[in-house]
Amino acid sequence: MANEFPGGYRHTPDNRARGRDAASHQPLQIYTGSAYSTPGGFGQPTYAQPVAPESWVQPVWTQPVSRTPAVAIVGVIAVAVLALLLFSVLGYFVIFLGPAATLVGFLIALVPLAVVLWAIRWVDRWEPEPRLALLFGFLWGAAASVAIALIVGLTIEIAAMATTGQGTPTFLQAALQAPVVEETAKGIGVLILFFATRKHFTGPVDGLVYAAIVAAGFAFTENIQYFAVALVEGGLGELGATFFMRAILAPFAHVTFTALTGLAIGMAALRGGRMLIGWFILGLAGAIALHALWNGSLFVVSSLESYAMYYVLIQVPIFVILIVITILMRRHEARITAARLSEYAAAGWFVPAEVQMLASATGRRQAMSWARTLPGNKAGVMKQFINDATRLAFTRQRIITGRNDLVHRKTEQELLVAVAGDRQVLLGP
């Protein structure tokens, strides 16, 4: 007996088996008419009984290829190694700054970190990146980038002492050495994520998210050091001033710098990875310039008033521009979602009301609220339905733009089946 899914999806047990086996290339029998209606405002839907299928529709997935779980295994190993490296960096702080100061710096550094992570989550909500990749990015910034900066800085200092008998001038350390070394170290992390997550790294928004998480990790560890040093050298007064400068005025400073690298790599991703190195160098140059402008300004401003003027006239507009770019990119993602899911709706996989809901932040929120009213609170299932449908839209976008080599070709079929399964659970008892 055939299984019927409210929402317009129907296939027999034999069809379901064939749907999981893309090699058979058998079309799924699906309903192409309207399966339910939704009142205005995306309120609680009124579902009608699905009718008999009207036609056979050939799914749009392509030839399957085998999965590569080795990537995930390597990712877990890399995360473990970076975690150990982070503990080593913190141990370095404990040795030279003391356990009490390091602990205080660690706890206070959690405050700006929480703000930045909330912002990253907001940007990443439309098409969430893999958690393992985000964890790797954070640890790369917090451990590897910091370790690289410390080692390179120490090497340069030793070389300067050996050749000139003097250390590197403070201005050159802040305005040249730090921007070049730190942004390069962070940028390498984003570049690694590009190669490791190519089927998820689809454009500038993904580049921004990965750059932001790497920068957040770097800023977190750097803040621990700055706060601990301030406490050791100047007491609570110095710690308060440092907290105001770094956690209140500039919690997104590193994110703003490294965002240019991420956006540039994202532009390369839009073009299938072509000219990647060129885009990377361009973005890195912009990140270094912004970082140098920020650090160098501290040697130019001579009073609190002049610093406030510089901050309002230079740094605030830069940050506002980044916010505007982020909002525009989010809207572009919504338009892509609507366009691609409309194509699936025309083939019978969705109905128009679902597409409207999935392509709207308001519709998604209201759908989540409605799912919470279902027996057993099915908000989690609705979230999965939204995520699977969004991934399906962006997979389709890459296929039709000639970037199918960036994804596993079996992914589209799997997502079509997953969406149908999500709908079945949502509308089931």
Side-chain angles (χ1 to χ4, degrees):
M1 181 177 179
N3 292 326
E4 298 181 344
F5 298 173
Y9 183 73
R10 170 192 173 103
H11 55 56
T12 65
D14 179 59
N15 285 336
R16 183 186 302 112
R18 290 200 300 264
R20 287 196 300 264
D21 182 10
S24 66
H25 296 291
Q26 296 296 324
L28 296 180
Q29 191 175 12
I30 58 178
Y31 174 52
T32 59
S34 175
Y36 67 83
S37 60
T38 304
F42 305 113
Q44 180 167 335
T46 302
Y47 295 94
Q49 290 296 324
V51 298
E54 298 176 351
S55 63
W56 289 87
V57 179
Q58 174 66 45
V60 294
W61 64 74
T62 55
Q63 294 288 341
V65 297
S66 60
R67 288 185 174 275
T68 53
V71 174
I73 296 174
V74 172
V76 171
I77 295 173
V79 165
V81 171
L82 289 174
L84 290 175
L85 181 58
L86 177 58
F87 281 116
S88 299
V89 172
L90 294 178
Y92 171 83
F93 292 163
V94 169
I95 293 172
F96 288 95
L97 299 173
T102 301
L103 178 60
V104 171
F106 176 87
L107 295 175
I108 297 178
L110 292 174
V111 176
L113 175 63
V115 175
V116 173
L117 291 181
W118 177 87
I120 294 172
R121 182 178 180 274
W122 176 81
V123 175
D124 193 39
R125 286 181 67 181
W126 195 264
E127 188 199 9
E129 305 303 325
R131 292 183 179 179
L132 181 62
L134 294 176
L135 180 58
F136 172 89
F138 178 82
L139 289 174
W140 178 274
S145 296
V146 172
I148 291 172
L150 289 173
I151 293 172
V152 172
L154 181 60
T155 302
I156 292 176
E157 193 69 14
I158 293 174
M161 290 294 296
T163 56
T164 66
Q166 298 178 343
T168 308
T170 304
F171 176 78
L172 289 180
Q173 284 184 345
L176 182 61
Q177 175 185 314
V180 171
V181 175
E182 293 175 7
E183 294 308 321
T184 301
K186 289 184 287 181
I188 290 173
V190 183
L191 203 57
I192 291 173
L193 285 168
F194 170 79
F195 288 109
T197 64
R198 293 192 73 186
K199 73 174 183 177
H200 295 279
F201 207 129
T202 59
V205 174
D206 301 313
L208 176 62
V209 169
Y210 286 129
I213 198 69
V214 171
F218 185 91
F220 173 65
T221 304
E222 188 180 60
N223 280 338
I224 295 174
Q225 180 186 21
Y226 272 89
F227 294 153
V229 169
L231 181 61
V232 170
E233 295 182 352
L236 293 178
E238 184 70 19
L239 175 60
T242 304
F243 179 82
F244 178 77
M245 290 289 295
R246 298 187 63 86
I248 304 300
L249 290 182
F252 293 95
H254 277 286
V255 172
T256 304
F257 310 149
T258 314
L260 297 186
T261 305
L263 290 172
I265 295 176
M267 292 301 296
L270 279 179
R271 291 156 175 78
R274 293 186 294 274
M275 298 295 294
L276 173 63
I277 299 302
W279 279 104
F280 172 69
I281 293 174
L282 180 63
L284 181 61
I288 292 172
L290 282 186
H291 199 153
L293 176 64
W294 174 265
N295 286 4
S297 67
L298 300 178
F299 295 88
V300 177
V301 296
S302 56
S303 64
L304 183 60
E305 291 77 10
S306 60
Y307 178 80
M309 182 176 297
Y310 159 80
Y311 184 81
V312 172
L313 296 180
I314 304 297
Q315 292 300 328
V316 171
I318 292 174
F319 184 61
V320 170
I321 290 172
L322 180 61
I323 293 176
V324 171
I325 291 174
T326 302
I327 293 174
L328 292 177
M329 290 191 303
R330 282 278 306 261
R331 291 181 178 178
H332 179 65
E333 285 190 325
R335 289 195 294 270
I336 289 177
T337 302
R340 299 290 79 82
L341 292 185
S342 293
E343 296 171 3
Y344 287 112
W349 289 98
F350 297 90
V351 295
E354 287 179 326
V355 176
Q356 295 174 37
M357 178 272 287
L358 291 165
S360 161
T362 300
R364 291 182 173 198
R365 286 194 298 269
Q366 293 177 347
M368 291 291 293
S369 297
W370 170 76
R372 293 187 185 97
T373 68
L374 297 176
N377 186 353
K378 296 182 178 179
V381 182
M382 177 62 77
K383 182 177 180 181
Q384 188 62 48
F385 176 73
I386 292 171
N387 289 344
D388 287 339
T390 306
R391 281 194 60 201
L392 177 64
F394 281 86
T395 297
R396 175 68 178 167
Q397 176 70 11
R398 279 174 285 174
I399 290 174
I400 67 175
T401 55
R403 292 178 289 142
N404 199 36
D405 59 320
L406 301 183
V407 298
H408 293 295
R409 294 173 178 173
K410 194 176 180 181
T411 300
E412 185 178 22
Q413 176 216 354
E414 294 171 340
L415 288 171
L416 286 168
V417 175
V419 165
D422 297 335
R423 185 186 289 112
Q424 181 187 31
V425 176
L426 271 172
L427 305 180

